[in-house]
Every structure is written in structure tokens, then in C-alpha cells.
Amino acid sequence: MYGDNVDFDISLNNRNISRGNPTNDQDGIGPKSRKKRLQRLTFKQNQILQGHFSICPHPDEYRRMELSEITGLTAQQVKFWFQNKITQVKSLNEKEESYRLKVENAMLSDEIKKLKEAQRTMFCPTCDPLPQNQLSPDMQRLKEQNNWLNLEISRLQAETLQNSRQPFQLDSSAENVVTRQNDIQMIAELTHNAMDEFIILSNSHGPLWLPVPGGSFEILNNMAYATKFGGKNSADIIGFKTEATHADVVVMMGTKNIMDYLMDSECYASLCPGILSTAKTIKAYKWPTNVGYNGAIHLMTIETVFPSPLVPSRKCTFVRSCRELQNGTTLIVDVSLDSSDGTFFKCRKMPSGVLIQPLEHNSCKIVIIEHVLVDDTRVQELYQPCMSGLMFGARRWVTSIARQCLRLRDTFHVITRNALRANSKGRKSLMKLADGLLVSYSNSIAAIPEDAWTMVCGAGTEQDIKISHRRSHDRTNTAVVSVSASFQLPIPLRVTFDLLRNNTLRAEWDVLVKGGVVREEVCVSGSIEADDTVSILHVKNVTKIRETIMILQNSCYDVSGSFIVYSPIDTQLMNKILSPEDMAESKVSLYPTGFSLLPVSESAEGGNGIALGEDGETLVTVGFQILLKLARGNGLYPKSVAATIALMSGNIETIKKSLINNQSHVECTRRKGRHNDSGRM
């Protein structure tokens, strides 16, 4: 939509005309000849001005004189260039905000139409009962389904008596989850029923969902669900827990593009980095030959993670089906094939999925329902209060999808903040590397894949730091060592995130900075609120003037799971990334350091009208990767392990001390901001 490097035409004549003799015809020159004298900037001049604008968009007179000498332009031309550039960035931000408001307006208008239609077609069985001999469509469908299931049970019992002499034994392998995978009729009926249930659950205005105050998501009303669907969530299974959440969001991407990501297992993981570790399509039962995914049914296996050593990953196998409705809405529904008693896997999907409703301006509304039966006995008690909808719930899924859609849009179309001195290929490479940092950070803490990582010691608490390692891909006698620990911090989530993002305070706790000065060099992509950014930080060491460090940082704030992940990048590598030449991001080795944050129970309740994360405390996970030499037995040296544990323990103490000491300053600033906002209102 918009280019990344804009060469402004600098005009001085238009301002001179406005100040004097607008009808000067003394030389016989008419009004038509009074044209603007345009001066096109050279590539070098534009590059210098763009670079200084990304650092300081409002230079003083002394700085403008310096730029005038460097670029060969007059001080007045430099001044006009910065004025034009500020106007352009402001215009882009206003267009982006206008775009969001138009989309939200269209969504609200459509919601009002639906509510009015629901009022006109409202039906009450008590006041206006159906005739005695007439069954409702739902009752008729359930009766037919019940008859079909009874016939199926009779057929299976007969086959078992004839062909089996030994008692049937269940196997927990993934292959036996689909022992009847060739029974297309059974799978089609299963997905059809799951879609019917999903359509009913997707209505957030009914009694099936209970809103979480200040949380922007809803949790399932188990009593209403049992009344509506006959208690088939199997919540009474010993050792299993029901988790069901509902959330929606408007994303800046068309319906077709969203479907391409969700229906392709390889692209699916790139839409949810840090949540979805692996996604694989095992078998396609039905795939439409025409353009689109209407009627598609395939079997998938995914593994989801939350970046904490105290929270195990979840593996789940399910059937994913797609249906396009007449009003343009698309349903993508998941339901597990394994047995209802949870014999096969420790995570089983009840009817869940995504509802995609197209809106105007190449955007759509997404409704996600995540409904699972899960064995959470391995989750450490520190994280048990956060299991009701945050870490693996619908809120985290919609946040990730909305974030990636906005970043993709920024990469190829719009830059909402500072302009980047790179072409679209450079921005795309930086975005891929930033996503790779988050994926590497999350997978290393969860030790995924299991066959690649070797556990050394630790459970992952502050007193028992977790260390694991895997062999380095590019070096024969070295290993990538992952060090992580989780602890509770007596500071609200919002304040903790702001303190860790504060570049001024970073020198107090970050070992990469070591007392240096940190500034944001370039924002590759970011939201208007600056809570979701991919940025390049410039670190200048005060003691060594010539020593500089570039840091690639990926950060996002959300109550379902905030993160700040970063890694140093060599200057030569950064120049190569920003060059217009093609680059293989997979060959770049970055070793991330980062934080994952989550509100604890007091903040997660969202009572007293306070938004989630604004009060209470925070669960913090600190993790980093380093390269260490391997011992002869392919293990780590004991001295290296002890030194690594001491390094992590020291870092945790420094981080806690710095954040607690600076907590009051940030809270005071935020209170003043809220007071000023209320005063303006």
C-alpha cells in the first residue's frame, strides 16, 4: 500500500510566492509559469535523513545545521524535509486508526442486525409450545443420531464376537487413535455434530458463557452446558479437567488468507509462534477439488506450549473440518477421535474451532472456542490458579493471530511507526528472525522436541534451576544449553512488562548492556499502543566508545501471556539482513534470552472493575541460551553447570531488586496518565 522509503520533493518557491508578489508579471511571465522548483533527493541524502529521523524526528537548529553540511542541502530544506516526514507518519497513523474504527463500526452494525433478527424470531417453549406430534429439528436430528449409534454398536459387537478370540487391548500410540480412520461415514457424522454444537457455542450472548471481568474472554458455564448438551463433556473423569473459553477479535486480513493459514499445517504454526510448537497433517479424508476448503476434512496432530519449565506441553490429535455458510461465514471445527474416557491422550478436544466472519476493508472477525479435556496433574502448583483460560485458552490464540496479521500487514503494506531503512525483503527477514526467536525460546524451555534435548538437572523453580542441552547443528563439540526458572514477583503484570521494556532501566539488570546506553534504533513493526513491537535496539558502551551492540527484540503484552525475547546481532549480519539481497533466515543462528509473564490468581480474578494484569502479582519465567563445550561423554562439564546455575541465580536476584526498586516510579507515572485521561474526558 505504501512504500518504505519515500523521497520527498522539497519546494521553496511555493512559500516565496505566498509571501510576496503573487501576480508578478514584470518579466512577462504569466501565472502558468510560476511552478514549484522541485528537488529530488539522492539515495544517499535520503538514507542519511531517514536514519536520523528514526532516532530523532524533531532535531534542533544545531542538529539541522550538521545535517545540512553532511547532505549538501540548506538548513531550510532539511527543516522542510523533517516537517513533511512527520506529517507523513502522522497521516499513516491516522489512516491506520481510521481503518480500525471503520472495521469495528462494521462489526457493531452487523451485531446489531443479528440481535434485532433474534428478537423478531424469538421462541419460548413454555409460552408457545410445539404441537405434541411435531419434534423440533434438533430433537429429530438427535433421534436419528441415536438410532444410527445403536445400529453401529450392534454391528461392532457382532464383528467382535465373530473375529476376535482374545480380549481387545487399547494401545496409547497415535496410530491407534485412528483405528477406524477409513470409516468416512462415521467421521463425517462426527464432524457434522461437532459443527452443530460449535454454532450454538459461538453465540457469546447466551447463558453458555460467563464473561471474565476485564479479561476480554468468557469461560464455559458448565451447568448450562450440561443442560443443553446432556453433560457430554465428561468432566467427571478422574484426573481430567475441563477447560473451555470463548474469545473474539477483528484481524487485518481477509477470510481467504486466514483459511490458508489454518488449513495448511505448515503455515498454521507460523500464525501462532510461541504457542504452536508443531502441527502435522496425518491424513486427508476429504479434500475439495474446486477452489476453497468447503467440505475439507483431515486429521491433524499438534503440540502446544507455554514458555515455562513448570508447565508441560500438550499433544492433541483431532479431525479438522471446514464448512462455508450461505452468509459468507466460514467454520473450521476441531474434534478428537479418541475415546471419550481419555484413554489415549492426556488432551482431548471437544468441539472447538474458529468462526471467520468477513468484514469490510479486507478484514474479518474471528471467534475462537477452545474446549478440551486435559490431564493437568503435571502442572506445578504455582501455575495451577492460571489454568482457567489464560495459558492455553482462546484469548491467547486470538491475540497471537491478531498480532501476526498486523505484523504481516506492516511488513508488506504499512509502517505505523518509525520508517525502517530497508526494503520489504529486509523487513520480512527481520520479522522471520523475530518469530524464530520466540519459537526457539519457547521450545527450549519446554525441551521440544524431546529426542533432541537432554535434561541435566533442575525442575525449573528459583531454588532448582532447570538446565538442558542439545548438540549444536554447526559445531561438532559444542552444545546449546537452555537455562530457565520461574518465580513469583510482587508486582502487577502491566508494571512488570513496562519496567522490563524500559531502555533506561535496562542497564541495571541486562548483562548484554553492562552499564551502556540503550535506545530504540528502528521499530520494524508495532501497534499504536507500542505493546506489540519488533524493534532493533542500539547499545553503546560508555567505557568503550567504539564498541556497539545491535539487539533484535520481539515483545508483546497480553494477560494471557506476555513476552520479551531478544538476542544480540552482529553488525555485519544486520547489514546483510537489511540489504535487498535474498537471505536464508534458517541459516542464521541466534540464541535468545527472554521473559514470559503471566498474572497470578489475584490479578486473574479481575474483580472490582480492574482490568486483568493491572493489580496483583506476576509469574515470571527467565530463560536464556548459551554455547558450552561438551565433555567426552557428550555431557556438560560439572564446572560449566555450576557456573551457569550461579549466573542465572545472580541474574534473578538482580532483576527482582531492580524491578521492585523502580516499581513506585512506574506506578506513579501510570496513575498520572490515568488521571490526565479522566480529566480530559
Side-chain angles (χ1 to χ4, degrees), residues 406-506:
L406 181 61
R407 289 182 177 184
L408 286 171
R409 191 166 179 265
D410 283 352
T411 302
F412 296 103
H413 299 286
V414 176
I415 303 176
T416 57
R417 295 179 63 192
N418 295 342
L420 178 64
R421 294 171 291 170
N423 54 19
S424 60
K425 288 184 179 179
R427 294 200 306 274
K428 184 178 179 181
S429 297
L430 286 173
M431 299 290 279
K432 285 186 177 181
L433 290 175
D435 288 343
L437 280 178
L438 179 58
V439 172
S440 177
Y441 171 79
S442 302
N443 290 353
S444 64
I445 291 179
I448 296 174
E450 295 181 359
D451 56 351
W453 291 89
T454 302
M455 279 293 303
V456 179
C457 63
T461 62
E462 184 179 0
Q463 296 75 24
D464 191 13
I465 295 171
K466 178 182 176 181
I467 296 180
S468 58
H469 71 87
R470 64 169 175 83
R471 183 174 290 275
S472 177
H473 297 302
D474 53 353
R475 303 185 183 184
T476 56
N477 196 34
T478 57
V480 178
V481 180
S482 173
V483 188
S484 59
S486 297
F487 57 92
Q488 191 164 331
L489 192 66
I491 303 176
L493 173 65
R494 177 76 259 186
V495 177
T496 302
F497 182 83
D498 291 341
L499 288 171
L500 292 174
R501 279 284 310 276
N502 192 310
N503 291 331
T504 304
L505 302 178
R506 193 160 189 152

Side-chain angles (χ1 to χ4, degrees), residues 99-100 102-104 106-107 249-256 258 356-366 409:
Y99 180 90
R100 293 174 184 271
K102 287 181 180 178
V103 170
E104 291 180 4
M107 182 185 69
V249 70
V250 175
V251 299
M252 307 301 174
M253 185 178 287
T255 302
K256 183 180 182 304
I258 292 290
I356 308 173
Q357 179 183 356
L359 301 175
E360 298 178 359
H361 311 290
N362 194 31
S363 59
C364 60
K365 177 184 177 182
I366 290 181
R409 191 166 179 265

Side-chain angles (χ1 to χ4, degrees), residues 26-220:
Q26 61 184 359
D27 295 331
I29 302 176
K32 293 184 179 180
S33 64
R34 291 197 303 272
K35 297 181 180 179
K36 298 180 181 180
R37 292 186 289 107
L38 303 179
Q39 178 178 346
R40 177 72 65 178
L41 297 183
T42 64
F43 175 79
K44 185 176 180 181
Q45 289 173 334
N46 186 64
Q47 191 177 26
I48 294 172
L49 294 175
Q50 292 275 13
H52 283 82
F53 182 84
S54 65
I55 300 172
C56 179
H58 300 280
D60 55 17
E61 184 178 358
Y62 176 76
R63 191 59 180 165
R64 291 198 299 268
M65 292 296 297
E66 286 186 348
L67 292 174
S68 175
E69 295 178 359
I70 296 173
T71 59
L73 301 171
T74 65
Q76 195 174 22
Q77 287 175 319
V78 173
K79 178 182 177 180
F80 291 153
W81 187 94
F82 274 88
Q83 289 178 350
N84 293 338
K85 186 65 178 177
I86 292 171
T87 302
Q88 184 216 20
V89 173
K90 183 179 179 180
S91 176
L92 291 179
N93 287 335
E94 290 176 352
K95 288 180 180 179
E96 184 73 14
E97 184 65 17
S98 176
Y99 180 90
R100 293 174 184 271
L101 293 176
K102 287 181 180 178
V103 170
E104 291 180 4
N105 184 43
M107 182 185 69
L108 293 175
S109 299
D110 186 71
E111 193 73 18
I112 292 173
K113 291 180 182 178
K114 288 184 177 179
L115 291 175
K116 290 182 178 179
E117 183 67 22
Q119 288 180 345
R120 287 195 298 266
T121 59
M122 189 178 297
F123 171 77
C124 178
T126 304
C127 303
D128 189 13
L130 290 171
Q132 295 181 357
N133 297 330
Q134 182 180 357
L135 294 176
S136 65
D138 288 340
M139 291 295 295
Q140 183 67 29
R141 180 182 58 81
L142 291 175
K143 185 176 180 180
E144 294 176 356
Q145 179 185 352
N146 188 36
N147 294 334
W148 180 83
L149 290 175
N150 288 330
L151 293 175
E152 191 71 9
I153 291 173
S154 301
R155 184 179 66 84
L156 290 175
Q157 289 177 347
E159 292 180 356
T160 303
L161 292 174
Q162 293 177 2
N163 302 327
S164 178
R165 297 182 179 179
Q166 298 179 353
F168 180 71
Q169 296 180 352
L170 295 175
D171 190 353
S172 60
S173 63
E175 290 79 3
N176 285 316
V177 175
V178 291
T179 52
R180 299 182 59 203
Q181 61 183 5
N182 294 322
D183 195 342
I184 303 299
Q185 183 179 359
M186 183 274 295
I187 294 175
E189 182 70 18
L190 178 68
T191 56
H192 176 78
N193 296 335
M195 283 194 174
D196 291 343
E197 179 176 329
F198 179 82
I199 292 174
I200 297 174
L201 290 173
S202 62
N203 181 16
S204 61
H205 301 287
L208 290 171
W209 298 104
L210 302 174
V212 177
S216 299
F217 70 98
E218 296 85 31
I219 59 176
L220 184 67

